Amino acid sequence: MLERLWHTPARQMRLAVLCVAVCTMLPVLCDSALAGVRSVTAMEYEIFTEAKRLVDKGRHDMAAEKMAVYFRRYSDRHQYAYELYGAVLLEMKREDLAVSVLREGAGEYADSGSLAQMLGTALYRAGKPLEAADAFLKAYALSGEAKTYLAYSAAVFLARGEQYGRAAAVLRPLTGRAEAKADWHILLAQCLMRQDKLQEAAQGLRAAVRVYPEDAKVWRMLGLVYYRQGLRDKAAATYEIAHKLAPPSSRESAQLASLYCSLGAPSLGARAVGEAPPTPEMLDNLAHSLARGGDLPAALEHAQKALEQAPTDDRRFRKGQILLRMEKKAEAAVVFSDLAAGGGRLARKARWMLAVMAWNDGDWQQARVELEKLASGGDRMDKRARRLLGILDQVSGGAEHEGRQQKEGSAS
């Protein structure tokens, strides 16, 4: 439940996106910006100046065409040509061509940090986060490890590509630097959690809260790590600190309420939700936590309220499950029958519940009816239904044979 507190790399993208935005701006044509690169010829200067003038007028298509002509005519291309053409293509959202141009430029000018950074931007926009990470790490190395935001951006892309070990390896030295930010510690903890390195994540976050004692996000992340470790009392106390520092969002309030419910403290859970009318999502979380904690009447109450506020098949199914656990089989059967008849996404799952209920009650005839309807779906449930039908044939056949023997014995 509390896994929703995981701020996926999308949240951590904020600094990375700023970095990406910076390196898509048009490059400046000056010798100081291109130290160590040959001088621009008079013809090149005229072409580049005209292309920039077209961009300033919003004529990116014409600027791109002028640069395309340059690329067709010249084999010894200036570094600035790659930067300018790449920037124009990115402005036009022609990411695939930008990747091709900038990849060639980064190969020709292997010592250019700006081209490596622009290539990373193009690769990210083209949906290739892992390749983007490699390009940003190269740009970071070429900067003499001075531009730490490049390394952080690379870590974000690695995490997005589910390369959590590599992302953590990039972030560990960054979090020890004086310019480190709270988000860097949070992303590192998230990557460590993905690798089940909870102890290291907790240790790092405990150090982080000493540096950022008023950052509620760091405290909430520490609370989540404690929760994952099974240290629920510590998790609750940590969330309380975060709550005092900054009132949580509606989602976080619901998750905090769920945590208190799992600790057997529903009154604290209700307080965490607050006086504002709870959202259906809050009620869902509370219903789930209360059911898991064994308080089925309260779970049913919250599930019903969520269903009344925003009826969905998922909420109907959850209500049926709670009713079944409460041994209210007739009411549960009504819920599952309605879902099965509705033909929605959960129709077959609801029919399976009806089959299981009949099976457990020894109502072989009804179980057969439901299983035969499931056995023609062509999915995993189809196979399970066919397997149970085979068992049912044996069970019901044995019962019928025993009944005949009893009748014959009474007749003699």
Side-chain angles (χ1 to χ4, degrees), residues 189-211:
Q190 291 171 341
C191 291
L192 293 171
M193 286 175 64
R194 290 291 192 181
Q195 301 173 83
D196 291 324
K197 296 181 178 180
L198 299 178
Q199 186 173 353
E200 183 182 350
Q203 182 178 355
L205 288 168
R206 282 194 293 268
V209 295
R210 289 194 290 271
V211 180

Side-chain angles (χ1 to χ4, degrees), residues 68-90:
V69 170
Y70 170 85
F71 269 66
R72 287 194 296 269
R73 290 181 179 176
Y74 292 82
S75 58
D76 181 21
R77 298 162 189 147
H78 197 276
Q79 174 181 324
Y80 182 80
Y82 289 105
E83 294 180 358
L84 179 58
Y85 195 16
V88 171
L89 291 171
L90 285 173

Side-chain angles (χ1 to χ4, degrees), residues 284-302:
D284 282 337
N285 287 344
L286 286 170
H288 178 84
S289 297
L290 289 165
R292 186 175 57 188
D295 191 349
L296 297 176
L300 179 60
E301 177 186 353
H302 287 87

Side-chain angles (χ1 to χ4, degrees), residues 339-353:
L339 282 170
R345 180 175 59 85
L346 295 175
R348 287 178 60 75
K349 192 173 180 181
R351 194 169 297 285
W352 176 264
M353 295 299 296

Side-chain angles (χ1 to χ4, degrees), residues 47-324:
I47 293 171
F48 299 159
T49 302
E50 177 62 16
K52 286 198 66 176
R53 186 183 66 80
L54 290 168
V55 170
D56 292 339
K57 290 185 175 182
R59 300 306 305 269
H60 295 88
D61 52 343
M62 293 182 65
E65 179 57 32
K66 181 165 284 290
M67 293 308 302
V69 170
Y70 170 85
F71 269 66
R72 287 194 296 269
R73 290 181 179 176
Y74 292 82
S75 58
D76 181 21
R77 298 162 189 147
H78 197 276
Q79 174 181 324
Y80 182 80
Y82 289 105
E83 294 180 358
L84 179 58
Y85 195 16
V88 171
L89 291 171
L90 285 173
E91 288 286 342
M92 297 174 68
K93 303 189 185 305
R94 298 177 63 182
E95 287 83 5
D96 290 340
L97 183 54
V99 167
S100 178
V101 168
L102 292 166
R103 199 189 294 278
E104 179 184 321
E108 289 290 327
Y109 298 93
D111 294 333
S112 171
S114 59
L115 277 173
Q117 184 176 344
M118 290 185 72
L119 175 59
T121 301
L123 288 165
Y124 161 67
R125 292 192 178 182
K128 300 177 180 179
L130 295 181
E131 293 182 59
D134 290 335
F136 271 78
L137 286 174
K138 180 181 177 181
Y140 175 57
L142 289 170
S143 75
E145 300 187 354
K147 299 179 179 179
T148 50
Y149 66 87
L150 293 173
Y152 174 72
S153 298
V156 171
F157 298 144
L158 289 169
R160 186 166 189 172
E162 299 184 357
Q163 296 287 321
Y164 303 113
R166 289 186 63 197
V170 172
L171 288 163
R172 284 190 184 96
L174 290 183
T175 54
R177 298 183 63 141
E179 67 269 29
K181 296 177 173 56
D183 283 346
W184 301 5
H185 291 271
I186 292 173
L187 182 58
L188 175 58
Q190 291 171 341
C191 291
L192 293 171
M193 286 175 64
R194 290 291 192 181
Q195 301 173 83
D196 291 324
K197 296 181 178 180
L198 299 178
Q199 186 173 353
E200 183 182 350
Q203 182 178 355
L205 288 168
R206 282 194 293 268
V209 295
R210 289 194 290 271
V211 180
Y212 313 99
E214 297 183 0
D215 193 307
K217 298 192 302 294
V218 179
W219 283 103
R220 287 196 175 96
M221 193 68 210
L222 179 58
L224 176 57
V225 173
Y226 280 147
Y227 184 84
R228 286 283 300 276
Q229 287 181 301
L231 305 173
R232 295 187 171 182
D233 290 336
K234 282 189 175 182
T238 304
Y239 275 111
E240 276 290 283
I241 295 173
H243 183 87
K244 291 176 181 177
L245 289 170
S249 65
S250 296
R251 175 184 295 179
E252 291 166 338
S253 293
Q255 291 159 3
L256 182 57
S258 299
L259 173 61
Y260 284 134
C261 288
S262 70
L263 290 167
S267 60
L268 291 176
R271 182 170 66 83
V273 170
E275 297 180 358
T279 64
E281 290 75 18
M282 288 184 188
L283 294 166
D284 282 337
N285 287 344
L286 286 170
H288 178 84
S289 297
L290 289 165
R292 186 175 57 188
D295 191 349
L296 297 176
L300 179 60
E301 177 186 353
H302 287 87
Q304 181 62 37
K305 287 180 179 178
L307 186 58
E308 291 171 357
Q309 284 192 31
T312 65
D313 284 353
D314 288 297
R315 292 183 175 118
R316 293 187 182 93
F317 191 87
R318 184 178 296 110
K319 178 183 176 181
Q321 288 180 308
I322 296 172
L323 287 168
L324 186 57

